[in-house]
CSV table of all heavy atoms in Angstrom, one decimal:
chain,number,residue,atom,x,y,z
A,282,THR,N,-3.4,7.5,-28.9
A,282,THR,CA,-3.4,6.8,-30.2
A,282,THR,C,-2.9,5.4,-30.1
A,282,THR,O,-3.0,4.6,-31.0
A,282,THR,CB,-2.6,7.6,-31.2
A,282,THR,OG1,-1.2,7.7,-30.7
A,282,THR,CG2,-3.2,9.0,-31.5
A,283,ALA,N,-2.3,5.1,-28.9
A,283,ALA,CA,-1.8,3.8,-28.7
A,283,ALA,C,-1.6,3.6,-27.2
A,283,ALA,O,-1.5,4.5,-26.5
A,283,ALA,CB,-0.5,3.5,-29.5
A,284,LEU,N,-1.6,2.3,-26.8
A,284,LEU,CA,-1.3,2.0,-25.4
A,284,LEU,C,-0.4,0.7,-25.3
A,284,LEU,O,-0.5,-0.1,-26.3
A,284,LEU,CB,-2.5,1.9,-24.5
A,284,LEU,CG,-3.6,0.8,-24.9
A,284,LEU,CD1,-3.2,-0.5,-24.4
A,284,LEU,CD2,-4.9,1.2,-24.2
A,285,ARG,N,0.3,0.6,-24.2
A,285,ARG,CA,1.1,-0.6,-24.1
A,285,ARG,C,1.2,-1.0,-22.6
A,285,ARG,O,1.3,-0.1,-21.8
A,285,ARG,CB,2.5,-0.3,-24.6
A,285,ARG,CG,3.4,-1.5,-24.8
A,285,ARG,CD,4.7,-1.1,-25.6
A,285,ARG,NE,5.6,-2.2,-25.9
A,285,ARG,CZ,5.4,-3.0,-26.8
A,285,ARG,NH1,4.4,-2.9,-27.7
A,285,ARG,NH2,6.3,-4.0,-27.0
A,286,ILE,N,1.1,-2.2,-22.3
A,286,ILE,CA,1.3,-2.7,-21.0
A,286,ILE,C,2.8,-2.6,-20.6
A,286,ILE,O,3.7,-2.9,-21.4
A,286,ILE,CB,0.8,-4.2,-20.8
A,286,ILE,CG1,-0.7,-4.3,-21.0
A,286,ILE,CG2,1.2,-4.8,-19.5
A,286,ILE,CD1,-1.2,-5.7,-21.1
A,287,SER,N,3.0,-2.2,-19.4
A,287,SER,CA,4.4,-2.2,-18.8
A,287,SER,C,4.5,-3.0,-17.6
A,287,SER,O,3.7,-2.8,-16.7
A,287,SER,CB,4.8,-0.7,-18.5
A,287,SER,OG,6.1,-0.7,-18.0
A,288,PRO,N,5.4,-4.0,-17.5
A,288,PRO,CA,6.3,-4.4,-18.5
A,288,PRO,C,5.6,-5.1,-19.7
A,288,PRO,O,4.6,-5.8,-19.5
A,288,PRO,CB,7.2,-5.4,-17.8
A,288,PRO,CG,6.4,-5.9,-16.7
A,288,PRO,CD,5.5,-4.8,-16.3
A,289,ALA,N,6.2,-5.0,-20.9
A,289,ALA,CA,5.5,-5.4,-22.1
A,289,ALA,C,5.9,-6.9,-22.5
A,289,ALA,O,5.3,-7.5,-23.3
A,289,ALA,CB,5.8,-4.5,-23.3
A,290,SER,N,6.9,-7.4,-21.9
A,290,SER,CA,7.4,-8.7,-22.2
A,290,SER,C,6.6,-9.8,-21.5
A,290,SER,O,5.9,-9.5,-20.5
A,290,SER,CB,8.9,-8.9,-21.9
A,290,SER,OG,9.1,-8.6,-20.5
A,291,ALA,N,6.7,-11.0,-22.0
A,291,ALA,CA,6.0,-12.1,-21.3
A,291,ALA,C,6.5,-12.3,-19.9
A,291,ALA,O,7.7,-12.1,-19.7
A,291,ALA,CB,6.2,-13.4,-22.1
A,292,GLN,N,5.7,-12.7,-19.0
A,292,GLN,CA,6.0,-12.9,-17.6
A,292,GLN,C,5.8,-14.3,-17.1
A,292,GLN,O,4.9,-15.0,-17.6
A,292,GLN,CB,5.2,-11.9,-16.7
A,292,GLN,CG,5.4,-10.4,-17.1
A,292,GLN,CD,6.8,-9.9,-16.8
A,292,GLN,OE1,7.2,-10.0,-15.7
A,292,GLN,NE2,7.4,-9.3,-17.8
A,293,THR,N,6.7,-14.7,-16.2
A,293,THR,CA,6.6,-16.0,-15.6
A,293,THR,C,6.4,-15.8,-14.1
A,293,THR,O,7.2,-15.2,-13.4
A,293,THR,CB,7.8,-16.9,-15.8
A,293,THR,OG1,7.9,-17.1,-17.3
A,293,THR,CG2,7.6,-18.3,-15.2
A,294,LEU,N,5.3,-16.4,-13.5
A,294,LEU,CA,5.1,-16.3,-12.1
A,294,LEU,C,4.9,-17.7,-11.5
A,294,LEU,O,4.7,-18.7,-12.2
A,294,LEU,CB,3.7,-15.6,-11.8
A,294,LEU,CG,3.6,-14.2,-12.4
A,294,LEU,CD1,2.2,-13.6,-12.1
A,294,LEU,CD2,4.6,-13.2,-11.8
A,295,THR,N,5.1,-17.8,-10.2
A,295,THR,CA,4.8,-19.1,-9.5
A,295,THR,C,3.4,-18.9,-8.8
A,295,THR,O,3.0,-17.8,-8.5
A,295,THR,CB,5.9,-19.5,-8.5
A,295,THR,OG1,6.0,-18.4,-7.6
A,295,THR,CG2,7.2,-19.7,-9.2
A,296,VAL,N,2.8,-20.0,-8.5
A,296,VAL,CA,1.5,-20.0,-7.9
A,296,VAL,C,1.5,-19.2,-6.6
A,296,VAL,O,2.4,-19.3,-5.8
A,296,VAL,CB,1.0,-21.4,-7.6
A,296,VAL,CG1,-0.3,-21.4,-6.8
A,296,VAL,CG2,0.8,-22.3,-8.9
A,297,GLY,N,0.5,-18.2,-6.5
A,297,GLY,CA,0.5,-17.4,-5.3
A,297,GLY,C,1.1,-16.0,-5.5
A,297,GLY,O,0.9,-15.1,-4.7
A,298,GLN,N,2.0,-15.9,-6.5
A,298,GLN,CA,2.7,-14.6,-6.7
A,298,GLN,C,1.7,-13.6,-7.3
A,298,GLN,O,0.8,-14.0,-8.0
A,298,GLN,CB,3.9,-14.8,-7.7
A,298,GLN,CG,5.2,-15.2,-7.0
A,298,GLN,CD,6.4,-15.1,-8.0
A,298,GLN,OE1,6.3,-15.5,-9.1
A,298,GLN,NE2,7.4,-14.5,-7.5
A,299,THR,N,2.1,-12.3,-7.1
A,299,THR,CA,1.3,-11.2,-7.8
A,299,THR,C,2.3,-10.4,-8.6
A,299,THR,O,3.5,-10.4,-8.3
A,299,THR,CB,0.6,-10.4,-6.8
A,299,THR,OG1,1.6,-9.8,-5.9
A,299,THR,CG2,-0.4,-11.2,-6.0
A,300,LEU,N,1.8,-9.7,-9.6
A,300,LEU,CA,2.5,-8.8,-10.5
A,300,LEU,C,1.7,-7.6,-10.8
A,300,LEU,O,0.5,-7.8,-11.2
A,300,LEU,CB,2.9,-9.6,-11.8
A,300,LEU,CG,3.5,-8.7,-12.9
A,300,LEU,CD1,4.9,-8.2,-12.5
A,300,LEU,CD2,3.5,-9.5,-14.2
A,301,THR,N,2.2,-6.4,-10.6
A,301,THR,CA,1.5,-5.2,-10.9
A,301,THR,C,1.9,-4.7,-12.2
A,301,THR,O,3.1,-4.4,-12.5
A,301,THR,CB,1.8,-4.1,-9.8
A,301,THR,OG1,1.3,-4.6,-8.5
A,301,THR,CG2,1.0,-2.8,-10.1
A,302,LEU,N,0.9,-4.5,-13.1
A,302,LEU,CA,1.1,-4.0,-14.5
A,302,LEU,C,0.6,-2.6,-14.5
A,302,LEU,O,-0.3,-2.2,-13.8
A,302,LEU,CB,0.4,-4.9,-15.5
A,302,LEU,CG,0.8,-6.4,-15.5
A,302,LEU,CD1,-0.1,-7.1,-16.5
A,302,LEU,CD2,2.2,-6.6,-15.9
A,303,SER,N,1.2,-1.8,-15.4
A,303,SER,CA,0.7,-0.4,-15.6
A,303,SER,C,0.5,-0.2,-17.1
A,303,SER,O,0.9,-1.1,-17.9
A,303,SER,CB,1.7,0.6,-15.1
A,303,SER,OG,2.9,0.5,-15.7
A,304,VAL,N,-0.1,0.9,-17.5
A,304,VAL,CA,-0.4,1.2,-18.9
A,304,VAL,C,0.4,2.5,-19.3
A,304,VAL,O,0.3,3.5,-18.6
A,304,VAL,CB,-1.9,1.4,-19.1
A,304,VAL,CG1,-2.1,1.6,-20.6
A,304,VAL,CG2,-2.6,0.2,-18.7
A,305,ASP,N,1.1,2.4,-20.4
A,305,ASP,CA,1.8,3.6,-21.0
A,305,ASP,C,1.0,4.0,-22.2
A,305,ASP,O,0.7,3.2,-23.1
A,305,ASP,CB,3.2,3.2,-21.4
A,305,ASP,CG,4.1,3.0,-20.2
A,305,ASP,OD1,3.8,3.6,-19.1
A,305,ASP,OD2,5.1,2.2,-20.4
Side-chain angles (χ1 to χ4, degrees):
T282 57
L284 61 77
R285 192 170 182 82
I286 293 174
S287 179
S290 57
Q292 300 292 307
T293 299
L294 305 176
T295 56
V296 174
Q298 272 192 315
T299 61
L300 170 69
T301 300
L302 303 174
S303 59
V304 181
D305 291 331

